[in-house]
Structure formats: structure tokens, C-alpha cells
């Protein structure tokens, strides 16, 4: 299994000599196995390794137990350990966000703070190793994400699921299934904790995990997760290709203050035009998250309207006929 992870890391160019890897370790099976595997390959890949644990202040003594286990493991394996505490329930109320979204924000803050502590700057990153955040998503997480996005409505990018690398983030065990990870730990007698919130069907992702994916594996194909991971890889490549084609088309439409979608633009294939408009949204607003295919269709609808008609879009963008 370790050889598969090493191959996956090389294929996706996740690590290079001199990198500092901050591994997010919750105490669950996935993150503990990832930490053990990273420790096992550290000398070969020549990177520095530390563990970062985030205490969300949600599950009381259970959360304290998780932190204590991760700290104990790190002491035994001689891995530097850092812990960050956040009062997520209080922050959730103050920020008027759900606890899940608040948790995502504080996790980003924790890694940003850790990067700052380590003295990273753009200059250091160019001349030396990079700061990498290792997250322990596995193959089942990828399949769950694909199904979740498919049910809610998405494009190729959403269907391609979780990416092996995304900026500073690397996911070295994304090539492994959850059952393999549990077997790896149990075979070696390595302790881990099961978060009680993962057992509840309150969250959509848990319902997919506990009911839908198992049914697919039992009733349709026992290798469903493996096949979905391969499909995600193909979709990532297709999405990347179309993003490049859309960006090339958009460059042909560049003006001083925006982009002019002329007659030649509308002769291009629909899918390439859609990617070009999404690229324009991202460049003009600085983000892609708030834009959907509905906004793209609204822009295209202006072509058949009279001169002077316009629509307002997120990010303080206007599209004008």
C-alpha cells in the first residue's frame, strides 16, 4: 500500500526535496494512516513533517480525547505536533454561518498561522521547499463528493470530485479506499478514533456514506468506488482541457475594460463558450464560486435582445448588449 501511495505522489508531483509538510491529523483512521505513511517515506522523499490538529470546541471531552491521542502518537513517532483551538459554536453564531462552514474557515486559518510561524514568505518558497498541507481524503471521500455534487447539480469540475493537488494542498492517500486504510492500521496495531459525528445520518455526506455507496457496491458493482475514482480522473483531464480552450477563446475577446463577445465568439462550440464566460467571471471578480451555469445562460441571452439591455451579475459585473 505504501508503494501505491509513493507512486501516486510521484505521478501527481506532490512533493519535492526540502518541502515542509503540515499534515492535518484529527485522530481518525484516514489522518493517522496518512501520518504514518508520510513518516515512513519521509527520508526517501526528503521533506520535513509535522502534525497539525484543530480542536473545534464542539464535542467536549471527546474532542479533548482526540487531541490527546494525536499528541501521544506524535510523541511516540517523534513528529512535531501543533494544536489550534477555536470556539466554533460561538464563531458560527457570530459569523451567522453553519458550524460545518465555520469549521472550514478556522481550519484554513490554522494552516495559514502555521505557515506564518514557520517563517514562510514568497522568497523562501522560491529558493527553498514549499509549504504543503497534507489532507487525508481517500477514494471513498472522492466518490461521496461526486455523488453529492451530481445530486445538487454541477459541471465537469464538480463531478471530478476531490483533486490530488490544489495549490498548497496535497492529498497523498486519495488513491486508497477506506477499508484498505482501516486494515493497514489494524494490521499494525496503530490506534485511531471514530468521530461520533461521522456515525450520524444528520449530514448529507454521511447518508451517502452509510447508505448510498454501500448499496451501489452490494447491488451494482463491488468496485464502484474504484471505477468512480478513475472516472473522476478522466473528468479532471477533460475539465482542464476545456478550461484551457475557454481561456484561449477569451483572450481573443479582450478589451481595455473587459471582454467583447462578438459574432466570431458565438460561432465556437457551446461548451467552449461556456468555459470562456466562466473564465471571464473569475478574472473580473477574482473568484469563481458565486457563478453558475444560470449566469452564463443570462449572458448568452443578451445576444438576442436589443442594444442597451444589460444584466447585473455577482462580483459587481455587468453584461451589456
Amino acid at each position: 500500500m505504501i508503494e501505491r501511495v509513493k507512486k501516486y505522489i510521484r505521478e501527481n508531483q506532490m512533493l519535492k526535496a526540502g518541502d515542509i509538510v503540515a499534515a492535518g491529523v484529527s485522530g481518525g483512521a484516514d489522518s493517522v494512516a496518512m501520518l504514518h505513511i508520510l513518516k515512513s517515506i519521509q527520508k526517501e522523499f526528503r521533506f520535513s513533517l509535522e502534525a497539525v490538529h484543530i480542536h473545534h470546541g464542539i464535542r467536549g471531552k471527546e474532542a479533548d480525547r482526540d487531541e490527546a491521542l494525536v499528541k501521544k502518537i506524535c510523541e511516540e513517532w517523534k513528529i512535531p505536533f501543533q494544536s489550534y483551538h477555536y470556539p466554533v459554536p460561538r464563531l458560527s453564531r457570530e459569523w451567522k454561518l453553519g458550524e460545518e462552514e465555520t469549521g472550514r474557515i478556522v481550519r484554513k486559518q490554522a494552516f495559514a498561522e502555521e505557515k506564518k510561524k514557520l517563517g514562510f514568505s514568497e522568497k523562501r518558497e522560491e529558493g527553498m521547499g514549499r509549504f504543503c498541507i497534507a489532507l487525508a481524503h481517500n477514494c471513498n471521500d472522492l466518490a461521496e463528493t461526486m455523488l453529492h455534487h451530481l445530486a445538487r447539480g454541477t459541471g465537469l469540475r464538480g463531478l471530478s470530485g476531490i483533486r490530488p493537488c490544489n495549490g498548497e494542498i496535497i492529498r497523498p492517500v486519495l488513491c486508497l479506499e477506506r477499508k484498505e486504510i482501516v486494515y493497514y492500521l489494524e494490521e499494525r496495531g496503530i490506534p485511531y478514533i471514530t468521530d461520533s459525528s461521522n456515525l450520524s445520518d444528520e449530514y448529507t455526506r454521511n447518508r451517502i456514506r452509510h447508505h448510498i455507496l454501500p448499496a451501489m457496491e452490494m447491488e451494482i458493482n463491488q468496485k464502484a468506488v474504484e471505477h468512480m475514482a478513475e472516472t473522476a480522473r478522466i473528468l479532471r483531464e477533460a475539465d482542464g482541457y476545456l478550461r484551457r480552450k475557454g481561456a484561449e477563446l477569451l483572450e481573443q475577446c479582450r478589451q481595455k475594460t473587459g471582454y467583447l463577445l462578438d459574432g466570431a465568439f458565438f460561432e465556437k462550440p457551446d461548451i467552449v463558450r461556456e468555459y470562456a464566460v466562466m473564465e471571464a467571471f473569475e478574472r473580473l471578480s477574482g473568484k469563481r464560486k458565486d457563478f453558475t451555469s444560470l449566469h452564463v445562460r443570462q449572458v448568452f441571452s443578451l445576444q438576442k435582445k436589443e442594444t442597451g439591455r444589460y444584466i447585473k451579475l455577482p462580483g459587481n459585473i455587468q453584461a451589456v448588449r
Side-chain angles (χ1 to χ4, degrees):
M1 199 166 89
I2 290 178
E3 290 302 317
R4 278 170 54 205
V5 172
K6 284 159 63 172
K7 183 172 180 281
Y8 191 67
I9 287 170
R10 289 191 180 101
E11 285 175 349
N12 290 282
Q13 301 177 332
M14 287 187 191
L15 293 168
K16 65 179 183 180
D19 286 348
I20 293 182
V21 177
V25 186
S26 65
D30 301 333
S31 62
V32 170
M34 179 186 72
L35 187 66
H36 189 266
I37 292 170
L38 288 172
K39 180 66 177 173
S40 302
I41 67 174
Q42 186 180 358
K43 285 185 180 177
E44 182 178 345
F45 283 82
R46 294 183 295 153
F47 59 85
S48 299
L49 176 65
E50 66 169 23
V52 175
H53 178 83
I54 293 102
H55 189 303
H56 294 85
I58 294 176
R59 293 177 293 115
K61 289 182 179 178
E62 197 176 286
D64 295 338
R65 174 206 61 187
D66 296 355
E67 181 182 41
L69 175 70
V70 177
K71 185 177 181 181
K72 183 172 180 288
I73 286 172
C74 289
E75 286 172 354
E76 290 176 359
W77 296 351
K78 295 180 171 54
I79 297 171
F81 169 79
Q82 303 293 334
S83 185
Y84 288 85
H85 286 236
Y86 293 93
V88 168
R90 178 170 63 78
L91 293 173
S92 175
R93 292 191 297 272
E94 289 176 4
W95 297 345
K96 294 181 172 54
L97 295 170
E99 287 189 352
E100 200 172 355
E101 179 63 22
T102 303
R104 276 195 288 268
I105 293 170
V106 300
R107 286 193 291 274
K108 283 184 181 179
Q109 288 180 354
F111 283 110
E113 182 62 27
E114 190 59 26
K115 181 179 180 180
K116 188 178 175 183
K117 268 192 200 177
L118 292 167
F120 269 85
S121 65
E122 293 304 315
K123 187 175 180 181
R124 175 174 177 174
E125 288 189 59
E126 287 170 13
M128 300 174 69
R130 303 162 302 162
F131 178 75
C132 300
I133 301 167
L135 301 182
H137 294 107
N138 61 44
C139 213
N140 294 69
D141 293 317
L142 187 153
E144 291 159 13
T145 300
M146 287 180 75
L147 289 173
H148 196 191
H149 287 174
L150 180 64
R152 291 191 308 175
T154 188
L156 283 183
R157 190 169 181 81
L159 281 179
S160 64
I162 304 167
R163 294 172 179 262
C165 303
N166 186 10
E168 292 177 334
I169 294 172
I170 62 171
R171 297 182 171 93
V173 296
L174 192 59
C175 57
L176 304 177
E177 290 192 42
R178 187 169 290 124
K179 59 188 176 186
E180 295 179 279
I181 288 170
V182 171
Y183 179 77
Y184 176 89
L185 293 174
E186 291 180 349
E187 189 181 41
R188 289 162 178 76
I190 299 171
Y192 65 91
I193 285 167
T194 300
D195 184 338
S196 61
S197 65
N198 289 336
L199 303 175
S200 166
D201 279 349
E202 183 181 348
Y203 301 107
T204 303
R205 181 177 289 279
N206 284 359
R207 292 195 290 275
I208 294 171
R209 177 177 300 171
H210 298 154
H211 306 291
I212 298 172
L213 262 185
M216 290 176 69
E217 290 179 309
M218 289 178 65
E219 306 292 338
I220 303 173
N221 190 317
Q222 64 181 358
K223 291 189 174 182
V225 170
E226 181 183 333
H227 294 326
M228 289 173 74
E230 175 58 15
T231 299
R233 182 192 65 79
I234 295 167
L235 291 171
R236 275 196 302 274
E237 291 185 6
D239 179 64
Y241 173 78
L242 288 168
R243 286 191 76 162
R244 289 192 296 274
K245 299 303 287 186
E248 289 170 9
L249 175 58
L250 187 64
E251 277 303 306
Q252 299 169 21
C253 306
R254 182 186 286 277
Q255 302 284 300
K256 285 183 179 180
T257 57
Y259 298 95
L260 174 64
L261 312 183
D262 57 13
F265 175 88
F266 285 94
E267 292 172 4
K268 301 296 180 183
D270 288 354
I271 188 69
V272 178
R273 288 192 286 115
E274 288 172 16
Y275 269 81
V277 171
M278 286 298 287
E279 179 71 17
F281 290 160
E282 185 170 1
R283 290 185 186 182
L284 293 170
S285 72
K287 57 184 176 180
R288 203 181 189 95
K289 185 180 177 183
D290 295 337
F291 298 95
T292 68
S293 56
L294 172 63
H295 297 120
V296 175
R297 290 196 297 272
Q298 286 176 333
V299 170
F300 288 165
S301 71
L302 286 174
Q303 187 196 16
K304 296 178 181 177
K305 295 182 178 177
E306 62 270 21
T307 301
R309 291 292 294 273
Y310 68 92
I311 54 171
K312 290 185 176 181
L313 296 157
N316 202 29
I317 297 172
Q318 278 194 29
V320 184
R321 177 72 168 94

